[in-house]
Amino acid sequence: MKLDGNEKESSIIESSALGDERGYLTVIEGQNTVPFDIKRVFYIYGTLPDIRRGFHAHYKTRQALISVSGNCKVYLDNTKRKMDVLLDSPTKMLILEPNDWHEMYDFSPDCVLLVLASHLYDSEDYIRDYDKFIKVYSQR
Ligand code: TYD
């Protein structure tokens, strides 16, 4: 599958908590808050604390990850830098670029990890083999 030419870096976006005596509300808008049109939404929950999931990168899909409840960590590797990000607030959003190999771990029992994606699900858009990931992305 062809790469989409996107060479952007992953980033953290902080949203506002619109709070009043009734509680809080946080808004995410495609193209405005998130730098892409949202085509798909899924959420990961009920993950045991010793489980690590993900272990892939993409050719095209960009994603925004928000831990809307509880917390978890995300390990990122784009072949040039490796880092760990703690998602511990419903106002904190991690933008993952296609070339971010990612692994999610250390899920709290109440963690609900919301994922907004730029493309519909397509198993062909996944790179699940780490050596292949390095081959595809390291010469860029
Ligand atoms: P998987 O990619 O293994 O999850 P993770 O990246 O968290 O390790 O996805 C689990 C299952 O769900 C797998 O059978 C593929 C399926 N799936 C869909 O059908 N649609 C989707 O949008 C996603 C993300 C997964």
Side-chain angles (χ1 to χ4, degrees):
M1 190 173 282
K2 274 189 69 184
L3 304 175
D4 74 351
N6 179 349
E7 293 184 41
K8 294 193 175 70
E9 283 270 334
S10 61
S11 57
I12 298 279
I13 295 175
E14 282 285 351
S15 301
S16 304
L18 307 174
D20 57 28
E21 65 284 353
R22 298 168 300 169
Y24 295 96
L25 184 153
T26 292
V27 187
I28 296 166
E29 292 185 325
Q31 290 294 1
N32 283 342
T33 331
V34 187
F36 52 81
D37 270 333
I38 300 162
K39 289 236 181 78
R40 178 167 53 108
V41 175
F42 61 95
Y43 34 97
I44 294 168
Y45 53 98
T47 308
L48 296 174
D50 56 344
I51 290 293
R52 232 176 146 93
R53 51 188 307 167
F55 296 94
H56 63 260
H58 291 280
Y59 292 102
K60 294 185 183 256
T61 301
R62 301 177 77 190
Q63 297 178 96
L65 275 59
I66 309 120
S67 184
V68 292
S69 166
N71 58 78
C72 68
K73 292 181 186 143
V74 186
Y75 167 76
L76 300 176
D77 173 357
N78 71 358
T79 75
K80 295 186 183 74
R81 61 104 187 82
K82 298 173 175 27
M83 63 189 283
D84 292 88
V85 176
L86 172 65
L87 292 178
D88 58 351
S89 163
T91 59
K92 188 171 175 180
M93 178 163 60
L94 171 64
I95 305 294
L96 286 187
E97 300 300 336
N99 64 336
D100 283 310
W101 178 272
H102 54 284
E103 300 170 18
M104 294 82 82
Y105 66 103
D106 270 4
F107 287 85
S108 64
D110 58 345
C111 183
V112 180
L113 181 62
L114 179 66
V115 183
L116 314 173
S118 63
H119 288 70
L120 298 180
Y121 179 72
D122 175 6
S123 60
E124 298 289 307
D125 187 51
Y126 281 68
I127 308 173
R128 292 192 181 273
D129 180 85
Y130 187 77
D131 292 339
K132 185 171 179 191
F133 159 71
I134 294 293
K135 223 182 234 170
V136 169
Y137 280 115
S138 61
Q139 324 89 325
R140 303 177 85 210

